[in-house]
Structure formats: structure tokens, C-alpha cells
Amino acid sequence: RGGGLVQGCSSGSGLVLVLAVVASALGLVRGGEVIQVGHQPKFFMNETHRFHPAQSLSFAHVLFVGFSLTYADTAQLRGYIAQDVVQVGRYYAKTKFGCITQCDSADFDGIDGILGLGMPDAAMSSIPEPLFFALSDETGDPANQYILRRRIFTLVSTDGAAELHLGGYDPHAFTGSMHYVKTTSNAEYSVPITSITFDGHELLNFATAAQAKGKASIPGILDSGTSCLVIPDSPLGGLLLEPPYTRLMNVIKRDVPFYITVGGQQLEIPFSSWWLDPNDRPCIQTAPAGFEGVLLGDVVFRSLVVVFDLSHPRAPVIGLAPRNPAYQLVDASCGRVNDFKGCVAFGDVTKHPLGKRTVRSSEGRRKKRQNKFLSKATAQLDWLEKKAMNQAKEQQLGVPRMDPSGGDTLLTKVPIDFYEETQFFINVSMGTPRQTTTVILDTGSSVFGVFCDPAPKAHKHSHIYLPHFIPSGMLQQGWESVRGA
């Protein structure tokens, strides 16, 4: 950045160059903003909406187990393990999650936590059951759950907003037919990619030797926590004839779509999806060294309706279909709770559902969010239960009767905010009574963690949860710690 300051100066302007170097080390004002060089922006805990354990009647502190997570290879998140009631849309269950009390990355300013929708094989040993599986677990505590009886979720996204379908998908959301493919991994949502073309140029030119060995595909991971399309810039150890990213940069231009072939089906990624209007630049990045695949980030989710069928967790199935541009998202089409198969949002059709927040950009600028919170899942649940249990009005309502044991097979649509076309945010409610947090929605991880107050040591509502295995010698030490001894 300092180079831009001395551009156009004569070779004899040594003083200007020295000043530029010194200013680069200390920080400069450019374009009305302070640029810090050589310093990592600090994380501000007071800009998050923390969960308050002491205010929850159902909170429990899991002893002897800490929470530590490295997120996106940069952010170190630390804290403790808790257990409480967690609700997404209509469904809730009592489950474990990470309570974050320390963070060293400014990328989390204004963000309340992370909701990983990944699979159990990628979960932390201290939180073995991802939240989506807890919400569909019939073996949980019946007094503290209302479960989803179809373990399927779907992401539907436009450029500015999105929605999460729980229990299936709305066929009006896509055009043509849904193409299904089995995942190539039990730990991540990985699908086989055999071709990526741009303007008639093939980016995945597999070597003859690799094809002879039956290697004619690379894994593509569906990761909503990744903003762009991330492709390798190496021949992947001889698998390819040339680096795909380098080849793309030689032919890239505007107003041209990508075509990605997944499981034998060619899918289009329109120009409007891979070009970011707010920044006027392509959303294409190089894969990190050592990663031999493609990250299918939000660029893909803006183009396609993506179904995650986890009915059989050891054999997940992914459904892909072109998004219907005429389809209206939940905040525009769900003015009534009994719209198509049980939508869950009320409110103004011009607003997003995610409450007032502050989000800090990568350069440290703070941006105010003025979106009104629309989701009223608890009140709607009471309304639905009263109406759906009334046999006389069941046919008029047009939804199936709820299971009295605590669960249903309705299709629930939960609003999602798609901030600056780069990150999905969703509201999650926790505790008794409920406290609402706004978290990142990430299909690339399996961890649910939120920023919290420190665990209460002595409070009339706090509980203690003992894990099944307690390390030798730690019981007395842990008990004295809880008592404040």
C-alpha cells in the first residue's frame, strides 16, 4: 500500500520514500480511513450478542472439557462446553455446544457464533453430535425437544438473501429436475467433479496416465462458509496437464458463465453468480497448497438449489438443480404461517430477518445492520399446534397433523441473511427462556459454537453436567473449582 503513495515521484525524492516507509510501519490515513500495517485488527467482544447462561433455567456446564477451535485456518476460538436447549425454526433439542469466551480474530466482530451443518464424522470429540443431528434425534430427552423427522435440509439463495428448508425442499424453488449424487466422503459434503469449462475452455485437463488409472475426477466440497469458487493452481501431482487457475486467468472475461459437471450432470454457474457487484470483481480464488480439489462456495449456492439428504448418515446424498429465478424467498412469500407446507416467517416482505448488528469488514470498517428480526418460531409453533390438532379445521389448514410425541414432518422454511453476497447468517434461539443469536451458517464444519458469558460458578439456575468418562484425579479438583474453592 505504501507503493501507491510514492508512485509518480522522481528518483531523487528520497525523503518522500523514507516518509512512506515510516508511515507504512506506523499507519497512514488514506481516503479518510486509518490503515494499520503490520498489526492484526483486534476482536471486540462487546460487538457480539453473547449468550447469557445465568439467565437460562435449562443451562448446564459440562465439566472437565474445554472448547478450542481453529476456524478458517486463522481464528482461534476458545471457551468451555455447555448443554442447553437450542432451537432452529420450529425444532429444538437439548444438546451440547461450544461457549466461546476468547477469540483472536477481528473477522468475528459483530458475529455471534457458528452453526456447522456438517456430518458427525467431522465433529469434535467433545461435541460428537452436530446440531442438525440433535434436532432430528429421536432418542433425545422428550421433555426438551421437538424434532425434525426427516433428516434433510436445503439451501436456496439469491444475491441478497436465502432460506433454509428443514425436512425436504420446495419443488417451486428450482427448474427442471433434481439431480442426485452420492457424496465421496462421510466427513464432508464432497461430490465428484469431472469437468469445469469457461468460454469453451476445459480447465480440468486430466493427464492420460491418470485417466488410464481411472482418475478422471476431483472432489468438490459444498461449503457455504466459503464465499467464492476456489480452484487449484497446480497440476495436482501430475493428475492434470496444467494448473486450472492459471489457465482460467488466461481466458477470463465478463458476461460468460461457468459449466461444472458433477456426477455426469452439467450445471451452469451464471456470470451474475461468480461476479461480485459490490466489489466489481470475480469471486474466484486459488485453493490452498495441499488441497487437491475444488471448494464450491456461495457462488454455487447462488446458482443452484442444493439438497442435503442425511437420511442415511453413512451414505449422504446431494441434490442439485438450477434455481428458479421467479421463486420468492420466505420473507416475501410467507406472510402467513400456513403458506406452503408450514413456512415459519412473518413480517415485512422488504426486510431481512436478522436483527440489528454491527459487522466489521476485513479492513476494520464498521457497517451497521438495520434489518428487522422477523422470525417468531415459538409463537408460530403454539399457533400451529392449536390449529393442526383441531380435526375440524385440519383440511382447511392444508398441513399434516403433528405427532403428539414431539415432532413433525412439515417442510419448514427459515430465513437467512446473505450479507454482501459473501456470508450466510441465520438466527438460532437458545436457553429457557429463549435468547436469540445470529450465527454463520456453514456446511463445511460440524461445530455449533456461540459467544457466551463465562460459565456461572454459583447461580440458582446453573447446573452441572458430568461426562460419561471423568479423568482420574480430576473429580475433586473440578468440584472445588465449581464451588469457587
Side-chain angles (χ1 to χ4, degrees), residues 13-14 18 37 43 52 83 96 134 164 181 198 243 255 264 274 281 290 306 376 415 430 455:
S13 302
V18 171
V37 179
F43 170 73
H52 307 295
Q83 186 182 50
K96 295 180 184 178
L164 175 68
V181 59
F198 182 84
D255 302 318
W274 65 267
R281 62 180 177 83
V306 184
K376 298 180 180 179
M430 307 168 60

Side-chain angles (χ1 to χ4, degrees), residues 392-420:
K393 296 185 179 180
E394 189 170 337
Q395 296 300 321
Q396 297 179 10
L397 184 63
V399 298
R401 189 169 65 90
M402 292 186 176
D403 191 322
S405 64
D408 65 51
T409 57
L410 298 173
L411 174 65
T412 298
K413 299 178 180 180
V414 183
I416 298 174
D417 188 21
F418 192 19
Y419 181 65
E420 290 193 344

Side-chain angles (χ1 to χ4, degrees), residues 457-474:
K457 292 185 177 181
H459 191 276
K460 62 181 180 179
H461 296 326
S462 63
H463 299 77
I464 298 173
Y465 178 92
L466 297 178
H468 295 298
F469 170 74
I470 302 176
S472 176
M474 292 186 65

Side-chain angles (χ1 to χ4, degrees), residues 30-108:
R30 184 187 71 179
E33 63 178 281
V34 177
I35 302 174
Q36 294 292 338
V37 179
H39 296 83
Q40 291 293 335
K42 291 184 178 180
F43 170 73
F44 294 91
M45 178 70 81
N46 61 353
E47 292 188 0
T48 67
H49 294 144
R50 285 174 288 177
F51 174 65
H52 307 295
Q55 298 179 12
S56 174
L57 298 173
S58 50
F59 170 82
H61 181 195
V62 180
L63 297 182
F64 313 120
V65 183
F67 178 79
S68 180
L69 175 68
T70 300
Y71 187 76
D73 298 327
T74 56
Q76 293 288 335
L77 307 174
R78 293 174 295 276
Y80 58 94
I81 304 297
Q83 186 182 50
D84 209 332
V85 178
V86 182
Q87 180 168 346
V88 179
R90 180 181 8 254
Y91 305 103
Y92 58 90
K94 195 167 188 177
T95 187
K96 295 180 184 178
F97 58 92
C99 263
I100 306 168
T101 56
Q102 300 178 52
C103 174
D104 62 1
S105 174
D107 290 338
F108 278 85

